[in-house]
Structure formats: structure tokens, C-alpha cells
Amino acid sequence: MDTENAAAGRAGADVDPAAEGRAIEVGEPGEAPAAAREVFGDRFDAAVRYTELLATSGVQRGLIGPREVPRLWDRHVLNCAVLAELLPSGITLCDVGSGAGLPGIPVALARPDVSVTLLEPLLRRTTFLEEVVRELGLDNVTVLRGRAEEMVGKLAVDVVTARAVAPLERLAGWGMPLLRPHGQMLALKGDSAEQELADSRAGLAKLGAVEWSVIGVGEGTLETSTRVVQVKAGESPGGVRAATRRAKAARAGRNASARTGERTRGGRRRGR
């Protein structure tokens, strides 16, 4: 599945299967489960439309595999939306390597109070995301094209999410530097969650993590709960290197502001 192989930290080949003339089979996502009304509330109709877009345009553009269409609701849309259980109110969130908008768009639909940035390096995907955001009228969602490492010092959020983008330690290297102090990264993982976490503990500590665990969300809503690796940052998310890059970006921003101010003052003097 293309979404699950999206590379958050590097650009890949931006190939549209439909543009290559390959025949794309489009299926039906099926009726929304009863739980979807409870999860999405007033935005249930928008969630239905999003699932339809995944099943049609998402498949045609190679963002969703045709075989995934019959299980879009349970395995993808609701599986992602239950992340909302872990989010405090009024926070900012960045979905790294968003692909077709999973988990960012289901979370934004379930939690209108959360400001979501969908960060994706590939044009084909950001075009799809922008179209979805416009059609669904999601005023709490921003689409941003770029690689995660390019955003250090430019973007700072309370929560970073990702879904099967990369092995955990590499993903943390991209996502942790985007966090504010004491923020958290939520990575959706499958059966490999515990092993990935065990293999990544030392690397997570170097990246400024102070606490980590595997938790289940969606119990009572999903037949099988979503497994999430939760990584909590301390005072310096991303570690020393990220802190240095943030400081350099801040200095560059201050210098740019100073230069702008000088030009403005100079212009006023010349106008007298």
C-alpha cells in the first residue's frame, strides 16, 4: 500500500499510476460501521465522503491499494480516528508523511478542536490532500509540502503522528525535532510495536525522549484495537542536534526581521 510506504523524510519517485495508462479498478468502501457515527459525530457525513474519495481518487492515483477498499473503514479510517482518544483539547498536531491523509484527516474529522498539519513531500499526494481538505471544508487542517528535516525550526507542534512511515528510530529522528518541549509522538504500529520499541530505546533517549510505551486505543469501538507507540519528549525534543538547528533557525529569523526593519526605517528617512 502506497500510503504505508510514504517516506516522511525524503522525496521519492512521484509516479501516478493513472498517468501511466495502467488500468485501475475502483471498488466500493461499503457502508459505514455504526461506530463511525459515534467517533465522528457532526462530521460523520464528511468522514463518509473522505472514505469515498479514498476508494475512488485515492485508488486511481496510487495512494490506496485496490484490495484495501473493502476494509477502508475498519483498517484505515476508524483505525486512525481512534487516536483522538490520546489528544488533549486545543493542541497542534503534525502528521508526518501523511500520504493519503492517514491518520491526520480522520483525527481532524474526529477532533475539530485540534489544528492539524499534513506534512508530505510528494506533489501528487499534497495535491490530493488539498483537494480533500477543500471538499470537506476542514478549516482545522493545513497541507504542507516538504520533508520533516526541512521543517526543524520552522514548525513546532504538541503532537507528531505517523502511520507505518518508517522503522521507529528513523521516524523518531524525523518527528521528534518538530515537537515542542514535553510534546509526544504517536506512531501507529502493528504486531512489531514492542520489538521496534525495544530496539529503539537507546536512540529515543538520544533524541530527547523521556518516556515511551505501547498502548492500545479504540477498545470497544474497533474489533481489534489500534496499537500505538507513544513517545514523550522532555525539555529538548530531537536531542542536541535538533536544538542547535532550532537555535540557528531562530537567529536567522531574527536577522531577517532586523533587515526588514532597517529597510523600512531607511525608506521612511528617504521619504522625508
Side-chain angles (χ1 to χ4, degrees):
M1 177 179 165
D2 197 25
T3 298
E4 294 186 354
N5 290 321
R10 54 184 172 80
D14 197 2
V15 178
D16 187 340
E20 292 187 330
R22 299 205 299 267
I24 303 295
E25 295 182 5
V26 177
E28 293 290 337
E31 187 175 350
R37 290 188 178 274
E38 179 180 348
V39 170
F40 294 110
D42 292 343
R43 286 184 162 181
F44 170 74
D45 289 342
V48 170
R49 181 58 184 147
Y50 172 56
T51 307
E52 292 171 349
L53 290 170
L54 289 177
T56 52
S57 182
V59 171
Q60 291 164 347
R61 300 185 192 192
L63 304 180
I64 292 289
R67 294 180 181 178
E68 296 301 312
V69 171
R71 49 189 181 181
L72 276 174
W73 277 108
D74 291 332
R75 185 172 179 178
H76 300 285
V77 177
L78 284 173
N79 179 271
C80 291
V82 293
L83 271 183
E85 297 176 14
L86 301 177
L87 304 178
S89 62
I91 60 141
T92 56
L93 179 150
C94 178
D95 186 27
V96 173
S98 192
L102 300 165
I105 289 179
V107 169
L109 286 165
R111 290 289 300 274
D113 62 304
V114 173
S115 296
V116 176
T117 297
L118 307 178
L119 180 60
E120 168 57 50
L122 297 186
L123 177 60
R124 167 169 61 96
R125 295 168 178 159
T126 56
T127 299
F128 173 80
L129 294 173
E130 288 167 350
E131 291 171 359
V132 170
V133 168
R134 281 196 301 271
E135 178 158 346
L136 301 186
L138 297 178
D139 55 7
N140 62 325
V141 178
T142 300
V143 179
L144 184 60
R145 186 183 178 199
R147 296 188 288 265
E149 64 266 31
E150 298 170 342
M151 300 299 157
V152 180
K154 302 176 183 177
L155 179 67
V157 296
D158 302 303
V159 175
V160 164
T161 59
R163 184 177 189 243
V165 168
L168 182 61
E169 188 169 342
R170 194 191 317 163
L171 172 61
W174 295 333
M176 294 287 288
L178 302 180
L179 290 173
R180 294 192 175 106
H182 307 292
Q184 62 176 323
M185 183 179 76
L186 302 174
L188 281 74
K189 294 287 183 179
D191 295 336
S192 66
E194 281 86 359
Q195 187 60 53
E196 283 199 52
L197 184 55
D199 294 342
S200 303
R201 291 176 188 272
L204 291 176
K206 290 180 181 178
L207 289 166
V210 296
E211 187 179 336
W212 44 77
S213 60
V214 177
I215 55 179
V217 291
E219 295 182 7
T221 300
L222 306 174
E223 289 187 11
T224 303
S225 61
T226 299
R227 298 173 65 74
V228 180
V229 177
Q230 183 181 49
V231 181
K232 296 183 179 180
E235 288 285 349
S236 184
V240 175
R241 186 174 298 179
T244 301
R245 293 178 66 181
R246 284 194 291 267
K248 289 177 65 177
R251 285 196 299 272
R254 288 194 296 269
N255 291 339
S257 296
R259 288 193 296 270
T260 300
E262 289 172 0
R263 287 195 296 269
T264 301
R265 290 192 296 273
R268 287 173 180 168
R269 284 196 295 269
R270 286 191 296 270
R272 289 176 182 171

